[in-house]
Amino acid sequence: MSLAYPIARSLEEATQPGVKTARSLSEAVSLAPGYRVERLETGWLHLPEAEAIALLAAQGADGPAGHLQRYEDTSGNVVVAVSWWLIADPKSPPKPRPSPPPLPEPAPPSEETDHTDDLYFRRGRTKTRRRKAADPNQLDLFKAPKGG
């Protein structure tokens, strides 16, 4: 069972039984002729325990899945999240999307210089390869054969 969301104008309409559901934006557009699908909206319902159970049970096993989710707030009260395709009259102007907040200005470089690299990499990343002097006691291991 994949996620399907109701197509509605409001939160109250989205929780009514028998409302059309769509799995994708293109499906929502095709199922709501004469309306403009604005976005996938999420609303929160603070309900008593009995009403929340009844709302979730009304969804049924064969109905859409995923548009109703049960949570608890910090006090232990039931909160139901409802997701739905928000539709609007095509003649009404679309709501402007909020502009993203401006990026913070980068902090000016501090006057203190960071010497971390000097502490760890002052001798370079590679060691110089010095040839170790041969131990004179080990040179007799590979003598040339006598008499030969």
Side-chain angles (χ1 to χ4, degrees):
M1 184 183 306
S2 63
L3 300 177
Y5 303 102
I7 304 169
R9 288 185 218 114
S10 66
L11 175 63
E12 294 77 22
E13 188 179 325
T15 58
Q16 298 299 319
V19 68
K20 292 180 183 178
T21 60
R23 290 174 169 72
S24 65
L25 177 63
S26 59
E27 186 179 356
V29 169
S30 67
L31 289 175
Y35 291 99
R36 182 181 69 244
V37 178
E38 290 200 354
R39 65 185 173 274
L40 187 63
E41 183 77 17
T42 301
W44 302 91
L45 293 173
H46 299 272
L47 301 172
E49 180 80 24
E51 287 183 32
I53 291 172
L55 181 65
L56 293 168
Q59 177 176 323
D62 297 332
H67 75 284
L68 296 175
Q69 297 174 350
R70 183 177 188 255
Y71 298 100
E72 288 186 3
D73 61 7
T74 55
S75 303
N77 299 324
V78 177
V79 179
V80 177
V82 182
S83 299
W84 77 95
W85 294 109
L86 180 65
I87 57 174
D89 186 24
K91 296 172 185 159
S92 67
K95 293 181 182 176
R97 292 187 179 207
S99 61
L103 296 174
E105 293 184 24
S110 64
E111 293 184 18
E112 295 181 25
T113 56
D114 186 15
H115 295 289
T116 305
D117 288 345
D118 296 340
L119 293 173
Y120 294 105
F121 304 116
R122 68 176 169 212
R123 292 192 183 121
R125 292 185 177 250
T126 59
K127 292 185 177 181
T128 57
R129 301 227 178 223
R130 281 192 216 155
R131 188 171 191 123
K132 292 185 178 180
D135 185 3
N137 296 326
Q138 297 290 323
L139 292 177
D140 61 343
L141 291 176
F142 303 103
K143 287 187 179 179
K146 289 185 181 178

